Amino acid sequence: MVTPLAHMERAARVKVMIFDVDGVLTDGSLTYGPDGEVTKTFYVLDGLGIQLLNKTGVQTAIISARTSPIVIKRAADLGITHVFQGQHDKRLAFADLLAKTGVTAEECGYIGDDVIDLPLFTRVGFAVTVPSGHPEVQHRAHYVTKNPGGRGAVREVCDMVMRARGTYEQALAPYFG
């Protein structure tokens, strides 16, 4: 088990925070409409956390195995500029992201919840999962969030990264006007 100080040290090095979608940005539910369209529900507090993280200089990205136009819309709303969908081998998208951003793997954080995420868990400097994450993923995570996916886990991680980097107060300052 990683000590709290160790996960904060890892969070302090994050320059790019990467998010899985289903089970992380959402609660993992897929709702099918009458015409077969899939809808997803996102949590507003998570969204503001991502926007604040972006404002403090941490880049954000999505790497997801599924493909959905809803994800493109949500990413655009939040200012997530790096979006990779349909990535069943997430290592390929990760390599592309590293090339585009110029950061090292150790300077990346990733939050995922299932075994498809394990290849990135072994590469990033800060690997995070949610309480409902698969046991193999939880075993390899540097940190398991207290909040569930789609209900505050992402905000918890964004706040943690900002606190660890010393930018949390700066990010919240405009709201204390």
Side-chain angles (χ1 to χ4, degrees):
M1 185 70 160
V2 177
T3 65
L5 181 58
H7 75 253
M8 290 300 281
E9 289 172 352
R10 289 176 177 279
R13 295 192 297 258
V14 171
K15 293 183 179 177
V16 177
M17 191 67 214
I18 309 161
F19 307 96
D20 182 26
V21 176
D22 297 316
V24 172
L25 286 169
T26 75
D27 68 3
S29 298
L30 298 176
T31 304
Y32 287 85
D35 296 322
E37 71 277 11
V38 176
T39 62
K40 299 174 187 283
T41 301
F42 299 95
Y43 193 55
V44 70
L45 293 181
D46 289 343
L48 184 57
I50 290 170
Q51 290 175 317
L52 293 172
L53 194 61
N54 283 329
K55 287 180 182 178
T56 64
V58 175
Q59 296 182 65
T60 52
I62 289 173
I63 300 178
S64 178
R66 296 180 55 85
T67 301
S68 171
I70 298 165
V71 172
I72 297 295
K73 172 69 173 132
R74 183 66 173 155
D77 288 349
L78 300 179
I80 300 172
T81 55
H82 307 285
V83 180
F84 303 87
Q85 295 194 84
Q87 302 296 312
H88 296 283
D89 184 347
K90 294 186 177 190
R91 293 173 294 190
L92 301 174
F94 185 59
D96 190 15
L97 179 65
L98 293 179
K100 287 179 178 175
T101 60
V103 301
T104 66
E106 294 79 27
E107 294 171 318
C108 291
Y110 181 76
I111 178 170
D113 67 327
D114 210 342
V115 295
I116 194 170
D117 301 308
L118 288 175
L120 296 191
F121 268 55
T122 62
R123 287 168 171 75
V124 299
F126 185 43
V128 180
T129 194
V130 295
S132 63
H134 189 279
E136 292 296 331
V137 177
Q138 287 195 13
H139 178 70
R140 289 165 176 83
H142 300 123
Y143 181 76
V144 178
T145 64
K146 293 170 184 55
N147 293 304
R151 297 295 297 169
V154 167
R155 180 57 174 272
E156 182 180 333
V157 170
C158 291
D159 287 354
M160 179 183 295
V161 169
M162 288 184 289
R163 281 189 171 103
R165 292 173 51 87
T167 59
Y168 183 76
E169 296 300 325
Q170 165 199 337
L172 270 54
Y175 304 103
F176 292 110

